[in-house]
Amino acid sequence: MTSSEIASESKAARTRQRILAAAAHEFALHGYGGASLRLIADAADLKVGSLAFHFATKDDLVAAALADGVDSAREALAAAVAAVPDDATPGERLRAAILGHLDALHASDDRASAVVRMVETLPLHLRADHVRHERRFGKVWLDVLARGRDDGVVRDDVDLRVLRDLVVGALNSTSTTSPVARPARGAVVETLLALLSPR
Amino acid sequence: MTSSEIASESKAARTRQRILAAAAHEFALHGYGGASLRLIADAADLKVGSLAFHFATKDDLVAAALADGVDSAREALAAAVAAVPDDATPGERLRAAILGHLDALHASDDRASAVVRMVETLPLHLRADHVRHERRFGKVWLDVLARGRDDGVVRDDVDLRVLRDLVVGALNSTSTTSPVARPARGAVVETLLALLSPR
Amino acid sequence: MTSSEIASESKAARTRQRILAAAAHEFALHGYGGASLRLIADAADLKVGSLAFHFATKDDLVAAALADGVDSAREALAAAVAAVPDDATPGERLRAAILGHLDALHASDDRASAVVRMVETLPLHLRADHVRHERRFGKVWLDVLARGRDDGVVRDDVDLRVLRDLVVGALNSTSTTSPVARPARGAVVETLLALLSPR
Amino acid sequence: MTSSEIASESKAARTRQRILAAAAHEFALHGYGGASLRLIADAADLKVGSLAFHFATKDDLVAAALADGVDSAREALAAAVAAVPDDATPGERLRAAILGHLDALHASDDRASAVVRMVETLPLHLRADHVRHERRFGKVWLDVLARGRDDGVVRDDVDLRVLRDLVVGALNSTSTTSPVARPARGAVVETLLALLSPR
DNA sequence: TATGAATGAGGATTCATTCAT
DNA sequence: AATGAATGAATCCTCATTCAT
């Protein structure tokens, strides 16, 4: 493989990433139906027609952005938890998960928040493809909560799945477009930890 | 005012309601940017051109649907709380609020869920107008929680506003388009009550 | 029905006819795949977007143009034959049919030639719908030839359907875009009559 | 010229042929305006950009396909006639011509039918170039008919050029995309022979 | 009060073409 | 000899809006 081959390979990959970033931003701002390829192309410094070379269709791009969004959020969440030293307190682990989730959600690249903004208005065929990714993400949170319960920092008087859904819903709802309205990160973390802790 | 004027006035009002209902449905399904006046008109059994008579522009319709959505949800929430007899337990009042919120959100007319689906992708000028409605809704929940705290059924170790935001966020996140994924109403209520109750 | 209603009804109909005429011209010149709605709209003195009001889709317009083309040709053919007095010679009837077919095909409005130019490159779903029209047209020619055979002016040593197909094919092939290359109408008629007559 | 140059030259020639074959197929199916270089490239197992190496523009490819189509048909027609032994009956020669024409037209490689499908919708500049090829093809048929007349198997009561145009038109009209609708080859041949034979 | 008819802007997608590699 | 990547124009279609009736 010559150096020029490497260069051209990475060029396509770089453009693809630029498009995904621009798409995430537009989708986060305007949702699935409100986002336009024109604006996405502009933000990616490309002409609309050129998008087709990387993503054949708007829905292809959406699917890629969704996968990119949840997967990166899941990896960030898992990494945040994994980074907690073994000898840390169980509460630290829980706090790390919450922080990891919030960080992904409020990251400036919008990859995760694009997902939150799009999921509920997706056409069925896209949603079907997306469910698997979402499920893997939910699994990570479930594991975190289960471990927390074993370690005695998560209450055991409620169904864990329902708890997980409410926690994730509450966290996702902080991903508001107007950061002014967003409650302070620290307050959210402490409040959630309090709600979760057993009586 | 003649009787025919009265009749025609009430006809206009009825049509307006039909449009709002159709709009709520479309907005709930496709969000602000993805909903089209044509489909709304179809669902309201009207021609697109006729919409202008009732709502001059799409944004006017959106604003009306938003106001209609939050206000009706707020009234439903307030009514549910007010319906609780004075001699009921404080926990009953809290449960009534949660149930009222969920009922509004999962109502078949989509008026409340349309709001949830739209808010985050609204253009700025619409959002500005909408904030006041949202604030009044939030005020009701804040009152409910404050009273609950006074009555000893809501924990006092957390900031009440942050708590309110998380509770509302968690509740709103149950308004998913695919009712299959939605956790059972009863489980949501009991879990939330547990989380709220003081240790 | 008021006069204004009549006017508005006929306005839509008139526009529809203008579009069909423009479409026939474009389709005759460039075929199904080569014709553009832009040019059709221009020729019909409309904006492209306005076409949708009369024909929802390009394929709808094509289907209408096809039906219009064959049906009008069939009617012209049938009328030409019917116009022959009962006491005319059988040869006159045959000649009238040939002339009627040619007249339809070379008419300046291109309605019939548009069909000839489009049929073979139609997508399958359009072709399927079109077959019925084509069959009715072929039936008229078959009747003409059968009557001619009964009257002794059409040879009886060949299969009538095959003969019909070849005659129609030969006639249609005179519908060339460059009228220079087109053989003289009279010569075509006399030659065909000669070929058809029994030995 | 080195052997590798020879090899690469012949490779180019082979690719050229593959492109022409693919192009003929697409043009036969969709006509001049409806065929796309992308599909042609796909069918030729190439990327669109690579076409330019062999044919600078779409119209260059079209021109080549047209020339290829008529010329090969003309050669097939001439060869079919030439293959008839000198001592065969004149009717055999005529039949051979008809069969040769039909064989070329219905050949699976679509080279000839692509021409039939394209000619009438060609832009003027392409048509001008094409006329010469077409004329040479017509000349062959004219010769065949003239010889037939000399030999007493073609009627002499009609203009030969008009006759030729009608015969060619009738034959070409059998090149339909749906082979179901196509009349049986044998029946076409015998019917045409009958029509041509003098009384 | 509503419809019919049209507009112009913008939507996504496809197209032939170009050019560096 | 062919590919990868991009362009700009054109494709059809949908949109919200307007206005005479």
Side-chain angles (χ1 to χ4, degrees), chain A residues 8 12 15 47 50 53-54:
Chain A
S8 88
T15 306
K47 312 292 165 178
S50 309
F53 184 83
H54 302 272

Side-chain angles (χ1 to χ4, degrees), chain D residues 8 47 50 53-54:
Chain D
S8 80
K47 311 291 166 182
S50 312
F53 186 83
H54 302 273

